[in-house]
Amino acid sequence: MTSPWLVGLDVDGTIILQDETMSPGVPDAVARVRDAGHVVTIATGRSWPATERWVDELEITADYVVCSNGAVTMRRVADGWERWSVETFDPRQVLALLTERLPEAHYMVELGDGVRLYTGEVGDWTLEGGRQVGIDELGALPVSRVVVVSPGHDEDDFHRIVAETGLNEVSYAIGWTAWLDIAPQGVDKGSALAKVHAELGIDGGQVMVVGDGRNDIGMFEWSRELGGRAVAMGQAPDEVKDAATEITTDVEDGGLALALNALLAHPGVAQVKAGE
């Protein structure tokens, strides 16, 4: 390859398994792509404190990392990292609509400076340095994201609640479990990677993104619009696969490593989608 590619990787279900071990072959594959001169970075729904570990463990050398579903992009500086791009919104209307329908749920907001405020602890949240507050205090300042966890509700319940509340002034993604992640309108992994792509001056379609969740559809669509590659993991929902240009195997079977190795072997050739 004569010029570098920008490679954006989801974390959960792509880089790592549910037990937070690496998917087979990923460290070596990431190292090969990086050492070939390409820009390998992370684009995740996780906040920065929950992302930095994987940047370090994978020895990612990229200057930009996308977090919080695109609301926060970190930039490497001489003494560590800084919050390079932060998108925020007023969460009060969203919180009022949701707490009316989900009064028993746990809520968390991430402020523009990265501080997290939460109403109740949830095991999967990274809350170090955060502060437990009452629901009224959650909306006191602009936030980069609102996260809602309600174990008593499933994905279908959340889709119905989103439709009933008319959450059209924000972007949102619903995870595998009862987890709703809300970002500013028009903000997703794709919008953040577009800024990174422009900042780095990467050639048009020399982009590959890999993910497995509905919050990856935005970066899939962005990559496709550029003529790049959008790779869905094998275990991804059908709507995620439909948004991709190609499908690799499941995370347990090393799907990401296979996709990265294919990029090195045949950069301009997408794998055929299963069933096509």
Side-chain angles (χ1 to χ4, degrees):
M1 285 175 268
T2 57
S3 58
W5 281 58
L6 174 61
V7 181
L9 308 177
D10 172 51
V11 174
D12 295 277
T14 302
I15 292 174
I16 64 173
L17 309 177
Q18 282 192 334
D19 63 1
E20 298 222 339
T21 59
M22 292 274 193
S23 176
V26 164
D28 288 343
V30 167
R32 283 193 293 272
V33 175
R34 179 199 64 219
D35 293 346
H38 307 296
V39 180
V40 183
T41 191
I42 286 174
T44 179
R46 293 183 172 219
S47 60
W48 172 242
T51 304
E52 188 174 14
R53 168 190 172 186
W54 304 108
V55 173
D56 294 340
E57 290 199 19
L58 288 169
E59 299 181 351
I60 285 175
T61 58
D63 287 333
Y64 299 90
V65 173
V66 172
C67 306
S68 301
N69 282 323
V72 176
T73 301
M74 303 297 295
R75 178 171 63 179
R76 192 186 301 272
V77 292
D79 57 350
W81 293 85
E82 67 176 6
R83 299 170 75 80
W84 175 67
S85 175
V86 179
E87 304 279 358
T88 62
F89 68 103
D90 184 340
R92 288 175 293 182
Q93 182 180 14
V94 168
L95 287 168
L97 290 169
L98 290 173
T99 54
E100 180 181 345
R101 289 162 175 79
L102 296 169
E104 303 302 319
H106 293 300
Y107 293 84
M108 187 267 285
V109 300
E110 183 177 328
L111 305 182
D113 61 3
V115 171
R116 291 169 299 284
L117 307 179
Y118 56 93
T119 61
E121 295 193 27
V122 175
D124 290 339
W125 290 355
T126 304
L127 297 174
E128 183 178 353
R131 181 160 51 90
Q132 188 164 358
V133 299
I135 192 69
D136 293 339
E137 194 173 344
L138 286 182
L141 295 169
V143 304
S144 58
R145 69 194 301 204
V146 174
V147 180
V148 187
V149 173
S150 184
H153 294 83
D154 60 19
E155 187 177 327
D156 289 339
D157 292 330
F158 266 7
H159 278 294
R160 186 187 69 255
I161 290 166
V162 165
E164 290 173 353
T165 55
L167 290 179
N168 58 359
E169 297 301 320
V170 294
S171 299
Y172 60 88
I174 299 171
W176 289 105
T177 56
W179 180 296
L180 178 62
D181 202 320
I182 301 167
Q185 177 67 22
V187 173
D188 58 30
K189 295 181 184 183
S191 64
L193 284 172
K195 292 180 181 180
V196 173
H197 180 262
E199 189 72 14
L200 295 176
I202 300 288
D203 288 347
Q206 298 206 164
V207 171
M208 185 172 87
V209 293
V210 189
D212 75 314
R214 293 172 179 84
N215 62 336
D216 295 312
I217 291 175
M219 71 176 181
F220 282 12
E221 292 174 343
W222 167 72
S223 182
R224 291 183 67 159
E225 288 173 2
L226 287 178
R229 300 172 68 162
V231 184
M233 300 296 292
Q235 79 279 358
D238 287 344
E239 65 189 282
V240 177
K241 292 178 178 177
D242 290 343
T245 61
E246 54 198 285
I247 299 170
T248 186
T249 59
D250 290 5
V251 64
E252 291 87 354
D253 299 323
L256 175 56
L258 291 174
L260 293 174
N261 291 335
L263 174 67
L264 288 176
H266 305 289
V269 181
Q271 302 172 48
V272 177
K273 282 190 181 184
E276 292 186 354

